[in-house]
Amino acid sequence: MKALDGVKILDMTHVQSGPTCTQLLAWLGADVIKVERPGAGDATRGQLRDKPGVDSLYFTMLNHNKRSITLNPKSKSGNRIFTRLIEECDVMVENFAPGAIDRMGFPWEKIQEINPRMIYASVKGFGPGPYEDCKVYENVAQCTGGAASTTGEIDRVPLVTGAQIGDSGTGLHLAFGIVAALYQRNTSGRGQRVTCAMQDGVLNLCRVKLRDQQRLAHGPLTEYPQIATGKFGVAVPRAGNASGGGQPGWIVKCKGWETDPDSYTYVIAQAAAFSALAKAIGHEDWLTDPAWNKPEARLTRLDEMFAEIEKWTMTKTKFEVMNILNPLDVPVGPILSMKEIAEEPSLRATGTVVEVDHPTRGKYLSVGMPVKLSDSPAEVKRSPLLGEHTEEILHQLGFGDNEITAAKAEGAI
Ligand code: CAO
């Protein structure tokens, strides 16, 4: 038994945001039917290819546990098959450019008419407003959702982050909306429209920065490095690696940093653990010195404090720092490279990093289901080949061999 057993998803997603959402639903047990353009499929099958002629990691890592049907809903028999899919499924998910599904001949009103229980979920770049017709990719969402203006080094250019908060983040938001809509349908008996704009998803993850924008009206932001100079502008500034909460933190070098770009650790000088930290780095003197022994006193000398901490961390590897400071309850975290994460045994043991076998590409690593349900454990299965399940799905929908042959001849599947 899986949490979403029996739920059928009509998956009209491509690239990253939509596929992230439907992959999560598939890991929860839903039957996800991915509709792809005949002969071409999701564009990511061929993007950023590492091996010639096989589905890219971009595609395989975002489309596990799905079935693939090739279908052009704009063709005559494609329209009929698509209508049957709408009748049959519980949820339709799409993330095409604004209006694309309408242009296929399936506006929301028509979908509701065909299946009033249908939950129709979409990712778009923006919600209703001046930009609603725009196409949007990850970094555009990071820029328009407030992440880029608040990320980066102080007084340098805005930066985008490697975490795909616009694409995967919005897919995650959408999945939660779909599950809620499925739950509401149990009592209402009706489907509904679920939408999440990438700008809104990113802004939701930047909530604390809108908090800071309003705090700024009442005085300088004490936890920002700019407190040392007192120079704040009209908007929340970039804060380098400063901690977003009320406890000062920074990234400091560790032994080997000269040759290893990831020999760094994050250290948080949490007030509750400050005495243990000061003692560990050989600065017991700070505990009796009024210039250091109160959090407010330290605020104007954070640069100096982290420079002293760094002198100590540079004598240790990032893992030695972790092993010494963690038992002292000092919050600390090594900067792990993707190589280290890929090789970390505990992540393999929990299924967060999994090895998957694929018929044409062979074995590869993927990120498994990050949310663990005790009664609905996720089992990661390889992504489908293009159109691998076309006939199987058409037969399940009740189409006979003659109709399938005719649809093929028309180029509809
Ligand atoms: N059969 C036939 N045609 C199909 C099809 C199928 N199975 N599936 C899609 N198509 C067609 C659509 O009908 C559409 O055609 P029209 O524009 O003529 O109506 C076209 O393929 C797809 O259009 P698109 O504009 O969505 O694709 P794109 O590659 O130009 O744009 C993207 C990509 C991501 C910028 C755009 O889809 C978008 O803005 N999506 C919403 C925001 C989003 O999710 N962004 C995240 C991207 S990364 O995760």
Side-chain angles (χ1 to χ4, degrees):
M1 281 288 290
K2 292 278 164 61
L4 294 185
D5 265 352
V7 173
K8 289 196 188 121
I9 313 271
L10 173 46
D11 182 4
M12 294 292 287
T13 68
H14 68 157
V15 203
Q16 185 181 163
S17 64
T20 299
C21 167
T22 51
Q23 176 168 260
L24 288 165
L25 300 173
W27 281 334
L28 290 171
D31 176 11
V32 176
I33 300 170
K34 184 169 172 105
V35 174
E36 298 184 78
R37 197 198 297 250
D42 186 328
T44 59
R45 283 188 186 267
Q47 277 174 11
L48 308 176
R49 269 199 173 130
D50 54 332
K51 289 184 175 183
V54 303
D55 288 335
S56 71
L57 288 166
Y58 197 2
F59 179 84
T60 56
M61 291 177 71
L62 284 159
N63 291 285
H64 293 110
N65 297 55
K66 304 181 185 178
R67 296 194 286 164
S68 165
I69 175 173
T70 48
L71 178 69
N72 180 356
K74 296 172 185 170
S75 65
K76 198 156 156 274
S77 41
N79 182 294
R80 209 149 45 85
I81 294 166
F82 197 62
T83 304
R84 274 291 296 127
L85 277 165
I86 294 174
E87 281 167 0
E88 200 62 26
C89 291
D90 302 279
V91 182
M92 173 166 153
V93 191
E94 65 89 23
N95 71 308
F96 288 121
I101 300 285
D102 296 26
R103 289 192 292 276
M104 283 180 182
F106 291 91
W108 170 220
E109 298 70 28
K110 178 156 180 201
I111 293 169
Q112 271 180 307
E113 213 177 280
I114 301 170
N115 180 357
R117 285 174 61 79
M118 176 63 88
I119 290 156
Y120 178 24
S122 301
V123 170
K124 294 287 166 262
F126 295 93
Y131 307 118
E132 64 189 6
D133 292 328
C134 298
K135 285 186 176 182
V136 167
Y137 280 109
E138 171 68 46
N139 289 346
V140 175
Q142 289 198 24
C143 292
T144 56
S149 69
T150 55
T151 304
E153 288 181 40
I154 301 150
D155 296 332
R156 302 290 296 275
V157 293
L159 277 189
V160 293
T161 160
Q164 304 288 283
I165 57 176
D167 280 342
S168 289
T170 308
L172 186 55
H173 281 95
L174 195 73
F176 130 83
I178 290 169
V179 171
L182 278 167
Y183 189 75
Q184 190 174 7
R185 198 180 68 169
N186 290 335
T187 46
S188 73
R190 283 193 316 274
Q192 62 181 298
R193 197 86 170 82
V194 179
T195 55
C196 189
M198 294 169 75
Q199 182 183 39
D200 300 7
V202 171
L203 178 57
N204 185 37
L205 300 176
C206 290
R207 180 171 293 263
V208 297
K209 298 296 178 181
L210 186 57
R211 172 200 69 191
D212 294 347
Q213 182 61 42
Q214 295 168 87
R215 288 173 59 219
L216 196 52
H218 301 283
L221 303 170
T222 48
E223 76 282 19
Y224 279 61
Q226 286 83 347
I227 195 73
T229 60
K231 272 204 286 175
F232 283 92
V234 294
V236 175
R238 292 184 268 291
N241 287 316
S243 160
Q247 308 290 344
W250 202 254
I251 288 181
V252 287
K253 291 170 182 156
C254 294
K255 195 170 167 181
W257 66 275
E258 299 90 337
T259 51
D260 175 359
D262 297 311
S263 260
Y264 291 83
T265 192
Y266 202 92
V267 178
I268 299 182
Q270 187 200 12
F274 185 73
S275 131
L277 175 63
K279 283 182 197 159
I281 66 165
H283 261 299
E284 212 160 339
D285 54 300
W286 285 352
L287 303 178
T288 48
D289 182 346
W292 287 98
N293 64 4
K294 292 273 177 321
E296 313 79 60
R298 295 193 287 274
L299 273 182
T300 51
R301 40 178 54 83
L302 292 182
D303 278 357
E304 197 188 333
M305 180 178 78
F306 284 109
E308 287 301 302
I309 293 171
E310 189 170 65
K311 278 186 198 160
W312 178 79
T313 56
M314 281 166 71
T315 66
K316 317 257 176 289
T317 69
K318 60 189 177 187
F319 297 110
E320 286 167 346
V321 171
M322 177 98 167
N323 291 341
I324 295 170
L325 294 186
N326 255 335
L328 304 176
D329 279 342
V330 177
V332 60
I335 308 303
L336 294 183
S337 68
M338 269 301 149
K339 182 172 187 299
E340 287 162 336
I341 287 171
E343 291 165 359
E344 169 59 43
S346 65
L347 293 175
R348 297 288 184 100
T350 57
T352 295
V353 175
V354 285
E355 191 175 77
V356 185
D357 204 358
H358 186 276
T360 56
R361 84 161 15 258
K363 290 193 164 63
Y364 67 95
L365 283 187
S366 194
V367 183
M369 173 66 154
V371 189
K372 322 290 185 198
L373 279 75
S374 61
D375 274 358
S376 182
E379 185 194 341
V380 179
K381 296 189 188 143
R382 70 165 176 87
S383 59
L385 301 173
L386 179 60
E388 186 176 344
H389 305 95
T390 302
E391 296 201 4
E392 173 187 299
I393 291 165
L394 290 175
H395 281 136
Q396 283 171 354
L397 291 172
F399 292 97
D401 289 339
N402 289 346
E403 289 166 295
I404 295 175
T405 309
K408 261 188 203 150
E410 193 195 337
I413 56 174

